[in-house]
Amino acid sequence: IKLIQTDVFNDLINLEDLYLNNNQLKHINTNFLYNMLNLKKLRLNKNQIELIDSVSFENLSNLIELDLSDNKLEYINGDLFSNLINLERLYLANNQIQLIYDENMFRNLKNLKILYLQNNKLIQISPNSFNHLDSLRHLRLDNNQLSSLNENTF
């Protein structure tokens, strides 16, 4: 799969798990997940995703697991995860992410237990970026290019 049309999944309102991994997706557009209010697990790993529209996950408040690992992401919009209030597992490993520049990027992820950011190109994580992750149990930052972490990062 290289492209997913906007309304392909519109009638699957009760879908809980969606696996689109191991495809050739490059872009996650705004509306193709819009009606998936009951989605709990979304696997987009092992694609070629370079861009995710900032409101792509806006209606996925029931999502528990999001796997975006093994893609070509360089940049993540600060609002991308803002409505994922029930998210517990977020996999961003093996991308090209260089900066976590927005200290509010993970602010609403109060239930997040697992955050994997290993094997990226991280050179900087903004202070306070992980301050609100009180439920976090597993954090991977290995194999990045970080030279230091600010004392207020956590």
Side-chain angles (χ1 to χ4, degrees):
I1 302 171
K2 291 184 178 182
L3 177 68
I4 297 175
Q5 298 294 328
T6 299
D7 55 355
V8 163
F9 299 117
N10 273 0
D11 295 333
L12 299 176
I13 57 172
N14 293 313
L15 192 68
E16 291 188 5
D17 296 341
L18 178 58
Y19 291 77
L20 292 169
N21 48 315
N22 292 302
N23 282 295
Q24 297 164 15
L25 296 170
K26 289 188 176 192
H27 177 228
I28 303 302
N29 71 29
T30 303
N31 294 317
F32 97 83
L33 297 165
Y34 189 77
N35 283 342
M36 297 194 174
L37 304 177
N38 292 305
L39 197 64
K40 294 188 182 343
K41 187 181 291 186
L42 177 57
R43 295 256 172 104
L44 294 165
N45 55 306
K46 296 184 180 174
N47 277 285
Q48 298 172 16
I49 299 170
E50 298 173 347
L51 178 65
I52 302 174
D53 291 348
S54 62
V55 293
S56 293
F57 305 140
E58 186 174 66
N59 288 342
L60 302 182
S61 62
N62 289 314
L63 198 67
I64 292 172
E65 180 176 308
L66 175 58
D67 193 345
L68 293 166
S69 58
D70 298 293
N71 279 293
K72 296 182 178 181
L73 291 169
E74 293 180 13
Y75 168 80
I76 296 177
N77 185 292
D79 295 327
L80 185 62
F81 308 123
S82 62
N83 290 342
L84 302 182
I85 57 173
N86 289 302
L87 195 68
E88 293 181 6
R89 299 178 295 277
L90 177 57
Y91 303 104
L92 295 167
N94 302 308
N95 278 288
Q96 309 294 317
I97 303 167
Q98 293 183 27
L99 300 170
I100 295 177
Y101 69 93
D102 186 342
E103 67 180 47
N104 295 314
M105 182 180 296
F106 305 116
R107 179 179 294 276
N108 294 336
L109 304 183
K110 308 278 186 211
N111 295 308
L112 193 68
K113 293 180 170 91
I114 297 172
L115 176 57
Y116 285 179
L117 285 160
Q118 76 272 19
N119 300 315
N120 276 287
K121 295 183 176 182
L122 280 172
I123 56 172
Q124 182 181 349
I125 298 174
S126 291
N128 304 313
S129 292
F130 301 136
N131 272 2
H132 307 285
L133 299 179
D134 296 332
S135 297
L136 194 65
R137 299 293 173 258
H138 304 276
L139 173 63
R140 292 200 57 186
L141 294 170
D142 48 301
N143 201 24
N144 277 291
Q145 298 172 10
L146 293 164
S147 58
S148 65
L149 289 173
N150 185 293
E151 63 185 61
N152 297 323
T153 301
F154 302 97

